[in-house]
Each structure stands twice: as C-alpha cells, then as structure tokens.
Amino acid sequence: MRVIAGSARRLLLKTVEGMETRPTTDRIKETLFNMLQNDLYGARFLDLFAGSGAIGIEALSRGAKEAVFVDKGDGQISCIRDNLKTTHLEERARVMSADVTEAIRKLDREGKAFDFIFMDPPYHLDLEERIVPYLLQSSLVKTGSLIIVETALDTDVDYMYELGCEVERIKEYKTNRHVFLRVPGETEA
C-alpha cells in the first residue's frame, strides 16, 4: 500500500497486522481521491475507523489542511502514527485512540466542522446506521460537508435517502461501495 499522489507520493505505508482491518486498495483509493481532488486543498478531513490511516494520509498528501484519525486498538494507533511519521505529515494530523462514538462526541463538543468525513466501519454491524444520523445532527458537519461511507455491497443503504441529506453518488466496486452524502443548506452567492 502506498500514497498515490501529492507531497507524500509513492511512499509506502504500513498496514495493520491481522484480519481486523481491510486496507483500501490503491486502485479504490485512487478512484475515490480523483473524485475529491478539486475540493481537498485546505480542507478539514475526518477519518473514522482509520485502520492504517491511509485515507486521511492521502487527503493530507493531496493538500488537506488537517486530518483527524479515529480508531481504537494499539495496533491501529501505532500503525497510523508510524505512517504519519514516514510521510512527514504528523504536524497536520491528530490521532485519537478511542471508540468512534466516544471520539465524535468529544469532537462535537469542540465545535469545529469538517469538510470531509470518511468512515469505513466493520461490515455487517450496522454501525453506519447509528453514526451517520448522529453526524448529521452534530457540529462536525456544515453546509456542503461530504460524508463518505464505505459499506459491503450487500449492505442496505436505502435508509440514507431519508436522512435529510443528498445521496450525491454511490460508487460500487467488486466487493464494496462508497456512498457520498452531501449536507444540504443554503449556499453562499
């Protein structure tokens, strides 16, 4: 696994040992960031269930101002910190070792919205059904924020059409998909 583009381009990233994480393949990561590239510069990026940190690191490498990485487990946190050090991006990063629900509550109290929120929860546990509605009611999003949810292909995402946000796009791959949810609101003229 490597950083695809930007300031840390081609640098190799560590992955977390074992079966608890599913690293996003370079091909899927490249497809995802080709869709986001024009809006990344200067953005705040939240990487939930961060695993190795590869998604948030790619965002930083491509010009995001700041990224917050959330995961629990010593292996994941150590891997994220090592990868940030390897890519020399640690100054623009914050790593939170916590349960995702606990971390987003803490971030919500801080009151700073994110431009992008990426979440790749363990499949088939319905965690996204609990977390996405909370995010939409929190200070972590603002008008125009984009929430990207990675799910297994067989996960029912029909409920997302009723959350009060726009399902902007669904991109399917061989075994998973990304659902892009745009937070609505007044846009500035």
Side-chain angles (χ1 to χ4, degrees):
M1 188 170 59
R2 64 190 170 88
V3 179
I4 306 295
S7 64
R9 183 178 183 193
R10 295 192 183 117
L11 292 177
L12 295 178
L13 300 175
K14 293 180 180 181
T15 58
V16 181
E17 301 268 334
M19 300 299 290
E20 288 184 29
T21 60
R22 302 168 324 280
T24 302
T25 66
D26 286 350
R27 173 174 259 162
I28 290 174
K29 190 167 47 171
E30 184 172 17
T31 299
L32 172 65
F33 279 95
N34 284 343
M35 290 185 257
L36 305 180
Q37 183 60 50
N38 293 336
D39 299 316
L40 273 175
Y41 188 78
R44 293 191 76 232
F45 197 97
L46 176 58
D47 189 353
L48 299 175
F49 304 97
S52 67
I55 298 294
I57 287 170
E58 189 73 32
L60 287 171
S61 180
R62 291 178 182 234
K65 173 177 69 176
E66 173 187 1
V68 176
F69 300 82
V70 177
D71 212 319
K72 64 179 183 179
D74 294 338
Q76 290 90 319
I77 296 303
S78 176
C79 188
I80 293 166
R81 290 187 195 285
D82 287 349
N83 285 334
L84 285 166
K85 192 172 197 172
T86 296
T87 57
H88 308 288
L89 295 169
E90 61 266 44
E91 287 185 17
R92 297 186 354 240
R94 175 179 176 187
V95 180
M96 297 179 73
S97 177
D99 174 78
V100 165
T101 305
E102 175 188 321
I104 60 177
R105 284 189 179 125
K106 180 176 182 175
L107 290 166
D108 189 15
R109 287 190 298 273
E110 293 173 11
K112 293 182 186 174
F114 290 88
D115 301 291
F116 295 95
I117 299 175
F118 180 85
M119 58 184 292
D120 181 8
Y123 293 169
H124 304 110
L125 296 179
D126 300 327
L127 293 170
E128 63 277 356
E129 279 194 62
R130 292 195 315 258
I131 294 169
V132 172
Y134 181 87
L135 290 171
L136 291 171
Q137 299 301 314
S138 76
S139 65
L140 300 180
V141 298
K142 61 185 178 184
T143 297
S145 291
L146 187 64
I147 300 171
I148 304 143
V149 183
E150 184 169 316
T151 71
L153 281 177
D154 61 351
T155 299
D156 181 11
V157 295
D158 288 344
Y159 73 92
M160 291 186 185
Y161 289 92
E162 299 168 10
L163 292 175
C165 57
E166 176 189 354
V167 177
E168 191 170 88
R169 179 181 199 156
I170 297 178
K171 175 67 176 160
E172 293 189 350
Y173 308 98
K174 286 182 182 178
T175 60
N176 61 357
R177 72 165 74 96
H178 287 140
V179 181
F180 296 79
L181 304 169
R182 182 73 67 182
V183 175
E186 298 292 320
T187 56
E188 294 179 23

